[in-house]
Amino acid sequence: MKLKDKLKLSFCVMVILPIILFVVIMVGIFKIQSYAINQAYNVEGDDVLLNFYSPMVFFGSITDDAYEMLRTEAEINPDRFNDDCYLDEVAFDLNGKLSKLVVRKNNIITYNSTEYSSMQLAQILPGYKDNGTNIVDMATYKGGDYQCIVKQLDFKDRDGNTYSVSILTSVKQGIPEIKVFIAQLIFLIISVLILTSLVLNLWIYSSIIKPVNRLKLATDNIKEGNLDFQMMKVPDNEIGEVCKDFEEMRVILKQNAEEKIQSDKDEKELIRNISHDLKTPLTAIKGYVEGLLDGVADTPEKQEKYIRTIANKVNDMDKLIDELTIYSRLDANRVPYTFVKMDVSDYFNDCVEEISLELDASGIDLNYRNHIQEPAIIVADPEQLKRVINNIISNSVKYKSEDRKGSIDIDLYDEGQYVHIIIADNGKGIAGKDLPYIFKRFYRTDESRNSKQGGSGIGLAIVKKIVEDHKGKIWAESVEGEGTTMHLNLLKYRKEEDYEQDINS
């Protein structure tokens, strides 16, 4: 989930979840406390709500049972109201119902369970009333400082004594169960908020802080030069995308570092090879020059031979330096190609004619076969394409077999969009383990062979670069001890109408 979606969801959860939890738990607590109030005060479950919006009704109803009991006792046995033990039991029961008991006989207080004095009770309690019946029921509310409900029974005994039995219920007090309910609600609100905040914080922590810590660990590794570590699994969000990009950067940095190490190694190898390849002809030149100066070549024939050898060695050095120069320009894409349209058959006819003279001098047979029937036009740089052919032929000559006469075959084929050029020799061939790497720069196969044959190891790298710059393709096939075959595909030139015709067809 995206981080922005998580933040939106967390906001909704922070608002909705506490409300849902609060309502659910509040209803449960309310049910429990309603049951407790019902059991303690013997009121109906629905009447519990009266304490919130009509406390007068609620406080008036919780003593109904006690009042009816007293009324029944007044009808049957009014003398019991002179028994303090009985009155103590009634007062104890009323105390559990948040009420007090006061008994007056002949307008004199004989029993008082309230904290009020006689003078205060005189202000609170109504006077005795006689309406001609045996028992008079009276209920009144006393406001002011007292704020209480008074339920009173007025009756006479057999001797004509008057009794006023009053139940006082203060409405300023709170029901203990309601106080507990409110305390539980406060605790519930705090707990729900803490729980919701904790859950959301843990969720956000796992989505933000953990990936950030992993990212910091990765930066510390890179700062210390350790590019071999791997980023741990990260969530699929914006920070996760940053971590993935960071991992890709680490891989690229590691690849660049490895390429730099390999490049440095190749450059050192190249310098070593160049030093060797330059030192060999220079040593020969020095020897022949000293021979001329010392008069060793004392005949015109020997002098001509020495001079010709010196010229050949100089040419070898010139070719090596030219090869290095060309490769450096190709590698930096600074070779100014001159592309022209030319007929492949005409080009190779001239090229083979020139090559054949050099191969004849080396005692190598050249077999040229042109299988192209119609003119095949390509767009290429004649000079650079000739360099490709010369480098391939040069390798064939350099690594020809010593136990048989050298032979090179050149075949041309028209393959639709491409011209396929095959150059095959019967030389020493290339080992299978080396074949995939022969176009890699500075790659040299057999050191012992190279020490004899020389070479910088960049000839075929130059060939591959030039062919690819011509939008072509080159690959090799070889059997060690039998020979090597080079395949070149060069893209043919196509007119705009040819493209349109292909599209329409």
Side-chain angles (χ1 to χ4, degrees), residues 118-167:
S118 299
M119 293 181 62
Q120 290 175 320
L121 289 175
Q123 296 177 2
I124 298 173
L125 301 177
Y128 177 82
K129 289 187 179 181
D130 186 359
N131 59 1
T133 61
N134 189 26
I135 298 176
V136 176
D137 295 305
M138 186 183 302
T140 184
Y141 169 74
K142 182 64 176 179
D145 296 332
Y146 301 106
Q147 299 289 324
C148 63
I149 297 174
V150 180
K151 290 182 179 181
Q152 183 168 300
L153 290 170
D154 291 336
F155 59 91
K156 294 180 180 180
D157 61 9
R158 299 181 186 91
D159 298 328
N161 296 313
T162 60
Y163 292 87
S164 294
V165 179
S166 304
I167 298 176

Side-chain angles (χ1 to χ4, degrees), residues 59 62-63 97-99 147-149 167-171 173:
F59 281 112
I62 61 177
T63 57
K97 297 179 181 297
L98 311 177
S99 302
Q147 299 289 324
C148 63
I149 297 174
I167 298 176
L168 284 74
T169 305
S170 175
V171 297
Q173 63 183 330

Side-chain angles (χ1 to χ4, degrees), residues 342-461:
M342 59 185 185
D343 185 278
V344 174
S345 299
D346 294 340
Y347 179 80
F348 270 87
N349 289 338
D350 296 337
C351 188
V352 168
E353 184 177 350
E354 181 180 339
I355 293 172
S356 62
L357 298 176
E358 299 178 5
L359 294 181
D360 285 341
S362 301
I364 298 176
D365 295 335
L366 177 62
N367 302 309
Y368 171 63
R369 293 175 291 272
N370 186 356
H371 304 279
I372 299 177
Q373 302 297 325
E374 298 181 358
I377 306 300
I378 62 172
V379 177
D381 185 325
E383 181 180 351
Q384 299 302 331
L385 186 57
K386 184 178 180 182
R387 189 182 302 277
V388 170
I389 305 302
N390 287 340
N391 279 9
I392 295 174
I393 297 296
S394 176
N395 272 1
S396 297
V397 173
K398 186 182 298 183
Y399 301 117
K400 68 179 181 178
S401 179
E402 302 294 340
D403 56 356
R404 58 178 174 267
K405 183 177 177 60
S407 175
I408 297 177
D409 296 332
I410 300 178
D411 291 273
L412 303 182
Y413 296 91
D414 187 343
E415 296 186 353
Q417 294 184 357
Y418 291 91
V419 172
H420 189 183
I421 304 161
I422 301 176
I423 303 175
D425 62 50
N426 63 342
K428 295 180 179 180
I430 303 171
K433 64 181 181 64
D434 296 322
L435 193 60
Y437 309 104
I438 61 173
F439 294 105
K440 185 178 178 182
R441 62 178 181 174
F442 310 129
Y443 186 81
R444 303 175 71 179
T445 56
D446 184 8
E447 284 297 326
S448 62
R449 185 181 70 181
N450 283 326
S451 63
K452 180 181 178 181
Q453 302 294 344
S456 62
I458 58 174
L460 290 181

Side-chain angles (χ1 to χ4, degrees), residues 30-290:
F30 181 80
K31 291 291 184 182
I32 294 173
Q33 295 301 332
S34 295
Y35 178 78
I37 292 173
N38 186 30
Q39 294 297 313
Y41 307 111
N42 195 24
V43 296
E44 295 297 331
D46 293 340
D47 291 341
V48 175
L49 294 175
L50 297 174
N51 185 63
F52 292 98
Y53 60 83
S54 184
M56 296 288 291
V57 177
F58 179 81
F59 281 112
S61 65
I62 61 177
T63 57
D64 286 345
D65 293 341
Y67 183 81
E68 290 299 326
M69 180 189 68
L70 292 175
R71 194 177 195 285
T72 301
E73 200 66 36
E75 291 177 350
I76 298 174
N77 189 10
D79 291 335
R80 293 200 69 182
F81 291 96
N82 296 314
D83 186 355
D84 289 341
C85 292
Y86 170 72
L87 294 177
D88 286 339
E89 292 177 0
V90 174
F92 180 79
D93 179 62
L94 288 174
N95 189 63
K97 297 179 181 297
L98 311 177
S99 302
K100 303 297 180 179
L101 177 66
V102 177
V103 178
R104 289 176 295 174
K105 182 178 180 181
N106 297 323
N107 206 27
I108 299 173
I109 298 175
T110 59
Y111 188 88
N112 179 16
S113 67
T114 71
E115 67 277 8
Y116 298 127
S117 64
S118 299
M119 293 181 62
Q120 290 175 320
L121 289 175
Q123 296 177 2
I124 298 173
L125 301 177
Y128 177 82
K129 289 187 179 181
D130 186 359
N131 59 1
T133 61
N134 189 26
I135 298 176
V136 176
D137 295 305
M138 186 183 302
T140 184
Y141 169 74
K142 182 64 176 179
D145 296 332
Y146 301 106
Q147 299 289 324
C148 63
I149 297 174
V150 180
K151 290 182 179 181
Q152 183 168 300
L153 290 170
D154 291 336
F155 59 91
K156 294 180 180 180
D157 61 9
R158 299 181 186 91
D159 298 328
N161 296 313
T162 60
Y163 292 87
S164 294
V165 179
S166 304
I167 298 176
L168 284 74
T169 305
S170 175
V171 297
K172 295 191 294 182
Q173 63 183 330
I175 298 177
E177 289 78 6
I178 299 299
K179 293 179 180 179
V180 172
F181 175 64
I182 293 173
Q184 289 175 337
L185 285 183
I186 295 174
F187 176 78
L188 168 64
I189 293 173
I190 296 174
S191 299
V192 168
L193 292 177
I194 292 175
L195 178 62
T196 305
S197 176
L198 180 62
V199 171
L200 292 177
N201 282 334
L202 289 175
W203 191 39
I204 297 300
Y205 177 83
S206 63
S207 301
I208 299 178
I209 305 301
K210 284 185 177 180
V212 169
N213 289 337
R214 293 171 183 172
L215 192 59
K216 184 179 183 304
L217 178 63
T219 57
D220 290 341
N221 276 276
I222 289 183
K223 181 174 65 176
E224 295 172 1
N226 178 23
L227 297 175
D228 293 326
F229 74 95
Q230 284 188 338
M231 287 287 296
M232 293 180 286
K233 187 176 181 181
V234 293
D236 185 18
N237 54 29
E238 291 82 354
I239 296 181
E241 292 175 358
V242 173
C243 292
K244 290 177 182 177
D245 292 340
F246 195 89
E247 172 64 11
E248 292 178 2
M249 181 190 71
R250 180 196 68 82
V251 172
I252 293 173
L253 287 175
K254 183 179 179 182
Q255 291 175 349
N256 291 340
E258 292 174 348
E259 290 176 358
K260 179 66 167 58
I261 293 173
Q262 184 62 39
S263 177
D264 292 343
K265 181 180 177 182
D266 292 341
E267 288 179 3
K268 291 179 181 178
E269 181 67 16
L270 175 62
I271 293 173
R272 186 178 69 85
N273 292 338
I274 293 173
S275 299
H276 176 272
D277 293 340
L278 289 176
K279 186 176 181 180
T280 300
L282 282 174
T283 301
I285 292 171
K286 181 180 178 182
Y288 284 109
V289 169
E290 290 176 352

